[in-house]
Amino acid sequence: MKSKTDQHESLRVKHDARGIAKVALSVVAASFLFGFAMVPIYRIACEHVLGIKLSGDAADASRVALMTVDESRTVTVEFVTGVNSKLPWDFKAENVRVSVHPGALTEVWFDATNNSTAAIVGNAVPSVAPNEASPYFNKTECFCFTEQTLQAGESRRMPVRFVVDPQLPKSTTTLTLSYTFYANELATRRLSLLPAPLDGIAKN
């Protein structure tokens, strides 16, 4: 029979093991939550700490429709792309800059490629510079903040349609639209848990 000392030591070891397991589970849960919340946290940090205006929402169609094209003026719109180090993707704009007339609807395209051997979900975070010009840059269609799933080796073209408000101050002649793609670790984890499609059955 075990002595009281041995029994006490055995209970202490079990208690310590349970404590370690709880800590490990907490760390895993926190990691998933951090991955899920990373994009919202980035938005808060940029807008309220760094003062950078982010906008992923589509512009109001009726308001954009009322804009008159100002053919007497051109604005240069530059595109800057980036990928977080945790995301093994290539991401770039098909054109690094375009010249537009304020009030004219313009379409540009971006290309993303998943270089890994597994499906990954990413989210793009946009910003417009200079900051004070952000309210005059109206996106009518974009992939901002929405989950983008790329299978292993898959490439995708993604459009952005925008209108520069004719009310943009004439002193501003250049705008920069930046996108950074981040890995959505929680969504990627959920994706990996889905059953693989059976051979011979078409994917939806």
Side-chain angles (χ1 to χ4, degrees), residues 22 34 41 49 67 75 79 87 89 102 137 154 157 182:
K22 288 180 180 179
F34 179 77
I41 289 174
V49 179
M67 294 181 183
V75 175
F79 306 103
L87 186 63
W89 288 11
F137 190 89
E154 181 183 1
R157 295 182 76 221
Y182 288 84

Side-chain angles (χ1 to χ4, degrees), residues 32-102:
F32 280 127
L33 289 175
F34 179 77
F36 178 75
M38 180 174 57
V39 171
I41 289 174
Y42 181 85
R43 292 193 69 171
I44 293 171
C46 285
E47 294 185 351
H48 299 285
V49 179
L50 301 179
I52 300 173
K53 176 66 176 177
L54 305 181
S55 176
D57 300 325
D60 181 71
S62 59
R63 182 170 65 86
V64 170
L66 295 175
M67 294 181 183
T68 302
V69 178
D70 184 357
E71 296 184 351
S72 68
R73 180 184 174 197
T74 59
V75 175
T76 299
V77 181
E78 300 177 336
F79 306 103
V80 176
T81 57
V83 177
N84 180 264
S85 59
K86 290 185 177 180
L87 186 63
W89 288 11
D90 287 331
F91 174 57
K92 63 181 181 179
E94 293 187 356
N95 294 291
V96 295
R97 67 180 58 85
V98 295
S99 293
V100 303
H101 293 301

